[in-house]
Amino acid sequence: MDLNTTLDQVYGIGPNIYKRLQKLGLNTAKDAIFYYPFRYEDFSNIKQISELVDGETTTIRGKIILLNNKRSPRKKMNLTEALIEDDSGQIQIIWFNQPFIKNNLSVGEEIYLSGTIKNSLMGLSMTNPSYEKTLRDTTHTARIVPIYPTTENLTQKQIRYIIKKCLPVSYIIEDTLVKEIIEQENLICLGDAIRQIHFPDNEESLQKARERLSFDEVFYLLCLSKAIKNENQKNTAPIIKFREEKIKKFVDNLPFELTKSQKISAWDIFKDLEKNIPMNRLLEGDVGSGKTIVAIMASYNTILNEHQAIFMAPTQILAKQHFEKIIQIFENSNISICLFTNKERLIYNGKNKIAKTFSKAKIINEIKTGNINIIIGTHSVIGKDVEFPHLGLVIVDEQHRFGVRQRHELIERTKDISPHFLSMTATPIPRSLALTIYGDLDISRITEKPLGRQKTITKLVSNKNRSRAYEFIYNQIEKGRQAFVICPLINDSDKLGVKSVLSEYEKLNNDIFPNLDIKFLHGKMKESEKNEILKNFANNKTKILVSTSVIEVGIDYPNASIMMIEGADRFGLASLHQFRGRVGRGTHQSYCFLFTDNYSKKTIDRLEILESTDDGFKLSEFDLKTRGSGDLYGNVQSGFLSQIKIADLSDFELIKKAQKWTNEIFLSDPELTNHKELKDKLSEFIKNVHLE
Ligand code: ADP
Ligand code: MG
């Protein structure tokens, strides 16, 4: 067996199990040994039967005295009953629906049993314990037992069996981590770490294994970031001078005063643009903090230098919204702006005053001849057939990162000149996490909200107060405001009991607010329908919009003052915070009402945090600590995160340590000429990470 041996060749694994393993992404022995447990049960402490306490989960060792299969007439189930004895006493064992156990075991044999103890009037018992004969070496019991993420029809026992079978390849896997690091940081070798992470001898060796494997993950990520950054800096970018006077004038004409951090961020960007190496900056700022205007200033400065700017949004709706905002801002200039999406193509310029529809070919031609200054669109803007003669700046809104591959493609079409990149995100990313997943980017942060904004009042509303909430909403609407209602699903058929957009819409429209204009919105609707609905909401014709999470990013309707979220427990704090950010964007006092049918303490505690803070960074720190980086950043599209399986990205010490080594290595050997193994490792790594 070697690292690439496919798992169907492992003894005991048939085509069915192989298929299930593939579902988990496990194809080869290598995949298997890098498939880490997500938790452990500590059965290493073997107890005497007489010491057992009701409710504890533990392991015992004893002899089988009795063993019988029975049918339970009442429940139509198979029961396997056993009586086990050690020096100190006896315990009754019951297994449900596992009649084969009787064939695996026999009276007189000695076995380990691990499970939860019940002590009732009937005496001591254990139900469905895992077991193992004492003669064999112990995989499933009498140790710290790994528990793996699994799928239907694949038991923990099966996964453990497979991993155990593959584990010998850990002896031939090469440990390519820089020797010096292993020595100085006192790390254990890769093979040991892999063996111990699956079947730890004890708590301490498990800890050492975790330390080693976590270090690897973070270190390689940081190295990768560094390598990408170095690579990027070899490209040449157009020098875009800061046109101070014109920019000042532009800012003076804005209907508001820029906040301090808007000014600082803009300044960071202007400084970057003046260099002939491409900017690669992330502008982070909570919803409503005013990132767009910073991006527009950067675009304007780019245009003043006779270069084009691209403004990319994740959805058609947002692209359109940006287009409308931007043409308003440049209404009295001679700047031409186009909207370029698969569905809609418009050109606006200050001279003809209205946006006209164009064919795809025509618009591509206009861009190519340099007649368009700002190109706004979805990703289709950078499609293969579009050429940009003077591209200076690419802005990516709510996408977090521009792909390495797309960047290369663009550079090829911009004749070896690499544009400057500005990504924008409203997902507040804790510093430790930003370092690891955005290590290749420079970061600017907008930390305060524009003046005059009131804090949105957030309330977790119990169902008995639901009608009061509706009354409140009605009053707000009478005062001229509007409301959003967010539901987790489109229709009811998907999951029982979870609020859906369609049924909620029916209810509100027919029963609760029959005299109000209510509309619904979800991702499966036609673009033209969506546009129509949003238009009516924008001009305050529609009062309530019932929607799925499509409304999450970027939508800007300052008149909306109520955000009502159904099934709030089904969303991460980061998402909920994003929803809340859809209101409180004007000068009106705004409200966010959270509803849930899940009253577990954990859920309530989590939702109550939203009531107490509107600091997105705090919320994300909290989510990172309690839920880990995985599911929290579901909406951070990051191939990077998929590479983090075990490292705790809130562990600042670990990250600092890895960062120190990364800096040291790249400082002395930026091309990694003396670190061939590391270089190879990174090439392999970059194949797995698709950098979106
Ligand atoms: P986001 O950062 O979420 O993308 P936007 O850029 O859409 O936020 O800004 C939200 C709203 O705030 C917009 O209507 C914008 O015109 C307005 N705005 C931006 N900056 C300021 C400011 N300094 N003062 C007042 N309003 C501002
Ligand atoms: Mg935005």
Side-chain angles (χ1 to χ4, degrees):
M1 187 191 278
D2 63 35
L3 288 162
N4 297 319
T5 303
T6 50
L7 295 173
D8 54 345
Q9 294 175 52
V10 175
Y11 177 78
I13 298 184
N16 279 336
I17 294 189
Y18 183 50
K19 247 188 232 144
R20 289 171 211 155
L21 288 168
Q22 284 179 311
K23 261 200 198 159
L24 294 176
L26 306 180
N27 295 295
T28 62
K30 186 177 174 192
D31 297 336
I33 62 170
F34 283 102
Y35 191 68
Y36 304 143
F38 73 103
R39 65 182 182 91
Y40 301 83
E41 269 168 24
D42 191 351
F43 291 124
S44 53
N45 216 346
I46 295 171
K47 282 249 170 109
Q48 295 278 76
I49 290 176
S50 62
E51 299 173 316
L52 297 176
V53 179
D54 187 44
E56 76 177 322
T57 300
T58 189
T59 300
I60 56 167
R61 175 187 177 142
K63 207 181 253 175
I64 304 174
I65 309 287
L66 280 171
L67 186 65
N68 275 317
N69 270 350
K70 256 203 329 215
R71 255 190 102 68
S72 147
R74 235 178 345 124
K75 294 187 177 164
K76 293 212 180 107
M77 277 198 286
N78 274 308
L79 295 184
T80 305
E81 289 181 338
L83 193 64
I84 306 293
E85 182 182 79
D86 70 4
D87 298 339
S88 71
Q90 292 187 338
I91 183 168
Q92 194 188 6
I93 310 295
I94 302 157
W95 285 283
F96 289 108
N97 285 335
Q98 301 180 60
F100 50 86
I101 287 177
K102 179 152 191 287
N103 305 329
N104 293 347
L105 299 174
S106 42
V107 171
E109 255 179 326
E110 202 180 28
I111 59 173
Y112 292 111
L113 289 154
S114 297
T116 304
I117 305 299
K118 197 170 158 198
N119 196 358
S120 67
L121 287 175
M122 314 287 288
L124 285 168
S125 65
M126 238 188 218
T127 305
N128 291 333
S130 48
Y131 66 90
E132 193 155 11
K133 300 182 190 188
T134 51
L135 302 175
R136 279 196 265 149
D137 86 289
T138 50
T139 308
H140 305 295
T141 53
R143 58 154 58 245
I144 304 176
V145 177
I147 310 286
Y148 295 90
T150 184
T151 167
E152 242 178 301
N153 301 326
L154 201 60
T155 64
Q156 289 296 331
K157 230 174 178 166
Q158 283 168 318
I159 297 184
R160 276 182 218 129
Y161 169 84
I162 289 142
I163 286 170
K164 189 110 194 176
K165 281 278 180 201
C166 295
L167 219 45
V169 301
S170 66
Y171 287 98
I172 51 175
I173 196 166
E174 238 184 307
D175 189 348
T176 55
L177 186 60
V178 181
K179 296 263 164 332
E180 213 187 329
I181 300 182
I182 298 182
E183 279 161 23
Q184 289 199 25
E185 294 296 341
N186 196 17
L187 296 170
I188 61 173
C189 77
L190 183 61
D192 280 344
I194 289 170
R195 290 183 289 278
Q196 289 299 318
I197 204 74
H198 291 292
F199 302 107
D201 293 333
N202 51 49
E203 241 346 288
E204 199 190 338
S205 61
L206 174 58
Q207 189 45 39
K208 288 300 276 181
R210 257 200 207 117
E211 220 172 85
R212 165 63 210 256
L213 298 172
S214 302
F215 184 89
D216 279 27
E217 288 180 351
V218 174
F219 175 70
Y220 289 131
L221 261 192
L222 292 178
C223 286
L224 187 63
S225 292
K226 200 85 173 178
I228 292 172
K229 194 165 187 171
N230 283 354
E231 207 52 39
N232 186 36
Q233 298 197 326
K234 283 186 203 151
N235 294 322
T236 311
I239 292 177
I240 291 172
K241 292 253 171 63
F242 178 41
R243 304 281 188 216
E244 192 172 348
E245 244 169 74
K246 291 232 161 125
I247 296 288
K248 277 224 166 88
K249 200 166 150 212
F250 177 86
V251 171
D252 287 343
N253 284 332
L254 289 174
F256 45 74
E257 174 94 10
L258 292 178
T259 62
K260 192 166 166 222
S261 36
Q262 279 175 318
K263 285 183 197 161
I264 294 171
S265 305
W267 182 238
D268 288 342
I269 294 167
F270 290 138
K271 272 190 301 187
D272 284 356
L273 293 176
E274 289 203 314
K275 295 179 195 144
N276 70 343
I277 47 175
M279 167 172 80
N280 197 18
R281 184 169 288 279
L282 178 70
L283 178 59
E284 240 189 317
D286 219 335
V287 281
S289 61
K291 295 180 292 294
T292 319
I293 195 66
V294 175
I296 293 173
M297 286 163 64
S299 307
Y300 183 49
N301 193 51
T302 305
I303 297 165
L304 293 173
N305 281 265
E306 260 92 59
H307 283 283
Q308 292 169 307
I310 296 180
F311 203 130
M312 284 198 298
T315 64
Q316 151 90 20
I317 295 179
L318 284 173
K320 182 83 188 264
Q321 187 179 283
H322 281 317
F323 178 73
E324 273 161 5
K325 266 225 153 128
I326 292 173
I327 65 177
Q328 238 176 37
I329 287 177
F330 292 116
E331 150 180 87
N332 295 316
S333 69
N334 52 5
I335 291 169
S336 344
I337 301 160
C338 81
L339 175 69
F340 188 129
T341 66
N342 280 332
K343 302 262 161 63
E344 201 173 13
R345 284 165 299 270
L346 302 169
I347 297 183
Y348 172 93
N349 76 50
K351 277 173 273 164
N352 36 352
K353 293 283 178 217
I354 61 165
K356 289 193 189 143
T357 302
F358 279 73
S359 72
K360 187 169 175 187
K362 264 243 168 83
I363 235 170
I364 288 177
N365 196 50
E366 289 290 297
I367 293 171
K368 189 170 150 191
T369 50
N371 289 342
I372 311 273
N373 305 111
I374 305 182
I375 301 129
I376 301 165
T378 50
H379 255 82
S380 61
V381 165
I382 53 160
K384 281 216 169 21
D385 36 7
V386 196
E387 264 178 62
F388 308 95
H390 318 289
L391 189 55
L393 173 65
V394 177
I395 296 157
V396 193
D397 192 17
E398 308 290 0
Q399 290 279 84
H400 309 284
R401 176 193 295 280
F402 197 68
V404 169
R405 187 174 47 78
Q406 287 104 313
R407 190 195 306 265
H408 277 297
E409 278 177 13
L410 250 187
I411 293 171
E412 265 164 31
R413 272 176 295 136
T414 48
K415 310 199 172 62
D416 298 332
I417 292 283
S418 173
H420 297 280
F421 283 95
L422 177 66
S423 306
M424 303 198 287
T425 179
T427 308
I429 301 146
R431 267 188 200 284
S432 60
L433 190 62
L435 272 176
T436 30
I437 61 178
Y438 296 134
D440 56 326
L441 308 179
D442 297 309
I443 296 184
S444 297
R445 277 180 158 186
I446 302 185
T447 49
E448 76 270 64
K449 290 237 162 113
L451 234 70
R453 295 285 163 74
Q454 300 189 45
K455 197 172 153 178
T456 296
I457 295 171
T458 304
K459 280 262 174 288
L460 181 58
V461 184
S462 66
N463 274 321
K464 74 172 198 289
N465 284 330
R466 180 177 278 276
S467 53
R468 282 183 53 203
Y470 286 140
E471 235 170 79
F472 187 86
I473 292 171
Y474 194 79
N475 284 334
Q476 283 283 306
I477 291 172
E478 286 211 307
K479 284 185 190 153
R481 304 286 84 74
Q482 292 164 284
F484 294 106
V485 178
I486 303 288
C487 303
L489 299 170
I490 298 175
N491 57 51
D492 271 342
S493 61
D494 323 48
K495 278 243 168 68
L496 235 64
V498 178
K499 295 271 153 112
S500 82
V501 168
L502 297 180
S503 67
E504 202 56 21
Y505 164 77
E506 296 278 318
K507 186 179 101 185
L508 294 174
N509 197 43
N510 300 337
D511 307 337
I512 315 268
F513 306 118
N515 60 341
L516 294 182
D517 184 336
I518 304 179
K519 290 285 177 320
F520 64 86
L521 189 73
H522 57 74
K524 290 202 175 129
M525 290 163 79
K526 280 208 201 102
E527 220 55 54
S528 54
E529 276 179 277
K530 281 195 241 173
N531 284 339
E532 185 65 24
I533 286 165
L534 290 174
K535 209 171 91 195
N536 284 330
F537 194 75
N539 58 32
N540 201 358
K541 184 173 171 294
T542 298
K543 300 298 175 185
I544 300 180
L545 191 57
V546 186
S547 170
T548 55
S549 58
V550 290
I551 210 88
E552 184 175 348
V553 274
I555 298 265
D556 184 21
Y557 299 115
N559 189 52
S561 71
I562 299 218
M563 169 57 67
M564 175 166 169
I565 303 169
E566 298 285 353
D569 54 294
R570 314 238 319 163
F571 299 102
L573 286 185
S575 291
L576 293 169
H577 181 63
Q578 292 266 5
F579 293 140
R580 176 167 63 181
R582 299 302 110 223
V583 296
R585 295 171 81 87
T587 46
H588 312 294
Q589 175 61 55
S590 295
Y591 304 86
C592 175
F593 297 137
L594 306 168
F595 290 87
T596 176
D597 290 325
N598 179 345
Y599 289 99
S600 73
K601 180 165 177 345
K602 216 170 129 195
T603 303
I604 301 300
D605 283 353
R606 194 162 71 86
L607 295 177
E608 277 177 350
I609 291 169
L610 279 164
E611 286 185 343
S612 65
T613 181
D614 70 341
D615 181 335
F617 284 100
K618 255 193 208 153
L619 290 169
S620 66
E621 298 272 359
F622 180 86
D623 255 353
L624 180 62
K625 286 213 179 76
T626 53
R627 286 162 48 112
S629 47
D631 66 353
L632 159 63
Y633 292 98
N635 59 350
V636 175
Q637 300 176 322
S638 173
F640 270 80
L641 270 186
S642 67
Q643 296 303 303
I644 297 287
K645 293 188 283 189
I646 196 166
D648 171 7
L649 291 185
S650 63
D651 182 350
F652 212 46
E653 288 308 306
L654 165 70
I655 292 165
K656 275 203 301 217
K657 200 191 290 173
Q659 199 183 26
K660 187 196 95 188
W661 281 105
T662 312
N663 290 341
E664 216 158 279
I665 289 168
F666 276 85
L667 197 66
S668 65
D669 184 18
E671 297 299 319
L672 299 180
T673 4
N674 302 322
H675 293 86
K676 199 182 159 304
E677 286 180 331
L678 178 57
K679 201 170 177 167
D680 292 345
K681 178 85 191 179
L682 293 183
S683 325
E684 182 196 334
F685 214 67
I686 207 162
K687 271 188 238 145
N688 298 328
V689 181
H690 54 102
L691 299 151
E692 289 294 340

